[in-house]
Amino acid sequence: MTDTSSDSAIRPADGPAGTIVTDYTIGRDNIEGSLGPFGFDIHNPVFGISAASVIAFVVFTLALPDTASTIFTWLFTVVTTTFDWLFLGAGDIFVIVCLLLIVTRLGNVRLGGRDATPDFSYIGWFSMLFAAGMGIGLMFYGVSEPLSHFSSSFDGVVAGADGLRTDWAPLGAAAGDQTEAFRLGMAATIFHWGLHPWAIYAVVGLSLALFSYNKGLPLTIRSAFYPIFGERVWGWPGHVIDILAVFATLFGLATSLGLGAAQANAGLHQLYGVPIGPIPEVILIIGITAIALFSVVRGLEAGVKLLSEINMGLAFLLLLFVVIAGPTVLLLTSSADFLLAYLEYLPGLSNPFGREDVSFMQGWTSFYWAWWISWSPFVGMFIARVSRGRTVREFLICVLLIPSLVCVLWMSIFGGTAITQVVRDGYTAVQEADLPLQLFTMLDVLPLAGITSVIGIVLVIVFFVTSSDSGSLVIDTITAGGKVDAPMPQRVFWCVFEGIVAIVLLLSAGGLKSLQSMVISTGLPFTFVLLVMCVSIWRGLLSEPR
């Protein structure tokens, strides 16, 4: 049994310097066999408990939809109001840890060892991590969130009879000050899509890459906890961690699939008059899950990488079009000011204690942080799989800083265009439209609206596909005990179940609100997992030759 109380848990072996000595072999606890023509290679008990729990959840939600809806609503309220300080405080810790690793000598460590070389070019690598990490959210909230924060900030503080604030404005709002409401609204948006979410992903991705490529452990979440638990990580402590990762990933993806289906449905309604409602959304989920299945079968290189690069190209073209067709000069000159506003308001926005803007803090930030955390096993593991050969510093700069700047640019362009349409042109339709419709309503008054709206729908669908595809690969890896070449039917199983969970929650238990409730509830326990990961990363890197 390895000593878990000190750094002796990590010591040189016969392999590369820094490799962890362990009797565990990848797949040791797996059950292999076949069902007819389909083979399986699954970890016992992670696969069984995860699959059985998901199936039980689906049956319960279908059988007792009203009870399920009540429970989900209660979960959302309790978690966001009771643990808002935890989500915000943890998010701050993740950012600080990542920035410290960039500037210290630990950033010199190369993932995979001194002689490792990258598996993918910068373009392919960045396309995959960005499409997996932010795709659907940027399309759904790129227009709606800046508009929402601008409007609530401009309207100012509203208090109830008890003196407590009932408005949704960030911080102290900017009542009647149009310019400052614009800056505060954009700063709040960038806060939700900048350093903090990418730091969450970076913590998980770095820990998995380090302990898999440098320490020789399986590519599963539990491996990052070897410095803490030692050999016990292969037992029930590790089983619980991996099962939590499966739940967080599955429900995080289900929420994104629900958002994607709602927005694609809205776009099709805008263009072709397709009815808006749960049935069209279910049909969209089924169709897009089928496309994701095709991509899963094609594999990482021919499936996810190809779709991600196509998506990045289309996203860049749409961004460039909005810059040219929209208020070009204003957008180009304001982006830097929005970034400065973000840095100016960052201390207040990231403060977890003593806040008066509780509606904003709990309804926006707490939800977002729980959503990012629930996505982190999936995005982190996916980033780890495509990041061998990068130094820690290179990894963190590309995963943390560059995507944050892209998010600043995206939100500034799309949100800035929509706010300008309202303020300067008096085009209030974009402000009054339902959230899924706001992107298409904004595009509707720009040239070539029919073409750009189609591109928007395609982007939503392909982001949807890449998320589902990547998530299926990740869940399969976890439930196969770290094997990255498990039989294909297992990936198909998880891809199908992601779609089923999204459909069940949309139809049977309160729609999108229920999806958000499940994200919150799975993000809470996994927050503690990520906090412990920070300790493991530091201890793991200290043992590495540089």
Side-chain angles (χ1 to χ4, degrees), residues 361-437:
M361 179 182 175
Q362 296 172 356
W364 279 101
T365 307
S366 287
F367 166 68
Y368 267 135
W369 273 210
W371 189 14
W372 304 146
I373 289 169
S374 71
W375 261 50
S376 65
F378 140 56
V379 179
M381 183 175 290
F382 185 73
I383 292 174
R385 286 192 63 176
V386 299
S387 298
R388 184 197 296 267
R390 310 290 178 181
T391 66
V392 169
R393 183 173 294 110
E394 182 184 14
F395 175 93
L396 289 174
I397 288 174
C398 290
V399 173
L400 180 64
L401 300 182
I402 294 177
S404 295
L405 291 175
V406 173
C407 287
V408 170
L409 183 63
W410 184 278
M411 292 298 186
S412 297
I413 299 302
F414 282 80
T417 298
I419 293 172
T420 302
Q421 289 175 342
V422 173
V423 172
R424 190 183 68 182
D425 306 330
Y427 180 59
T428 58
V430 65
Q431 194 172 26
E432 296 164 355
D434 292 336
L435 287 184
L437 270 172

Side-chain angles (χ1 to χ4, degrees), residues 316-511:
F316 176 76
L317 288 175
L318 185 60
L319 182 73
L320 185 62
F321 169 81
V322 175
V323 170
I324 295 172
T328 307
V329 175
L330 176 66
L331 294 176
L332 293 179
T333 56
S334 296
S335 295
D337 185 48
F338 294 152
L339 182 57
L340 290 175
Y342 162 62
L343 296 175
E344 175 187 334
Y345 285 112
L346 181 59
L349 292 169
S350 59
N351 173 30
F353 303 109
R355 299 273 292 268
E356 294 182 359
D357 55 338
V358 289
S359 295
F360 172 83
M361 179 182 175
Q362 296 172 356
W364 279 101
T365 307
S366 287
F367 166 68
Y368 267 135
W369 273 210
W371 189 14
W372 304 146
I373 289 169
S374 71
W375 261 50
S376 65
F378 140 56
V379 179
M381 183 175 290
F382 185 73
I383 292 174
R385 286 192 63 176
V386 299
S387 298
R388 184 197 296 267
R390 310 290 178 181
T391 66
V392 169
R393 183 173 294 110
E394 182 184 14
F395 175 93
L396 289 174
I397 288 174
C398 290
V399 173
L400 180 64
L401 300 182
I402 294 177
S404 295
L405 291 175
V406 173
C407 287
V408 170
L409 183 63
W410 184 278
M411 292 298 186
S412 297
I413 299 302
F414 282 80
T417 298
I419 293 172
T420 302
Q421 289 175 342
V422 173
V423 172
R424 190 183 68 182
D425 306 330
Y427 180 59
T428 58
V430 65
Q431 194 172 26
E432 296 164 355
D434 292 336
L435 287 184
L437 270 172
Q438 287 184 328
L439 170 65
F440 303 104
T441 308
M442 183 270 286
L443 293 173
D444 199 38
V445 293
L446 298 180
L448 306 175
I451 296 174
T452 55
S453 293
V454 169
I455 292 175
I457 294 171
V458 171
L459 276 170
V460 170
I461 290 174
V462 181
F463 273 133
F464 192 152
V465 170
T466 53
S467 296
S468 179
D469 187 343
S470 307
S472 301
L473 292 173
V474 167
I475 295 177
D476 181 45
T477 300
I478 297 172
T479 56
K483 288 190 175 183
V484 296
D485 56 351
M488 185 60 64
Q490 294 172 206
R491 299 180 192 175
V492 172
F493 171 84
W494 290 114
C495 186
V496 169
F497 259 83
E498 288 161 21
I500 290 175
V501 169
I503 289 171
V504 166
L505 287 171
L506 279 173
L507 286 182
S508 304

Side-chain angles (χ1 to χ4, degrees), residues 104-169:
T104 63
R105 61 189 178 87
L106 297 178
N108 298 327
V109 173
R110 186 170 296 277
L111 300 174
R114 290 175 175 174
D115 300 324
T117 57
D119 296 328
F120 300 97
S121 67
Y122 273 113
I123 293 177
W125 180 45
F126 181 74
S127 297
M128 285 189 286
L129 71 91
F130 193 82
M134 288 293 173
I136 290 175
L138 285 180
M139 297 298 295
F140 192 89
Y141 289 106
V143 170
S144 62
E145 185 172 350
L147 264 177
S148 177
H149 296 327
F150 165 76
S151 299
S152 60
S153 297
F154 184 74
D155 290 341
V157 172
V158 179
D162 55 1
L164 298 177
R165 284 177 59 173
T166 58
D167 62 274
W168 285 75

Side-chain angles (χ1 to χ4, degrees), residues 5 26 28 38 81 131 157 184 218 223 251 253 298-299 302 310 394 396 409 420 427 464 509 518 520 527 546:
S5 61
I26 296 176
R28 184 185 71 182
F38 304 114
T81 58
V157 172
L184 178 56
S223 294
F251 289 112
L253 281 169
R298 285 179 62 85
I310 292 172
E394 182 184 14
L396 289 174
L409 183 63
T420 302
Y427 180 59
F464 192 152
M518 292 311 300
I520 287 285
T527 301
R546 287 172 292 279

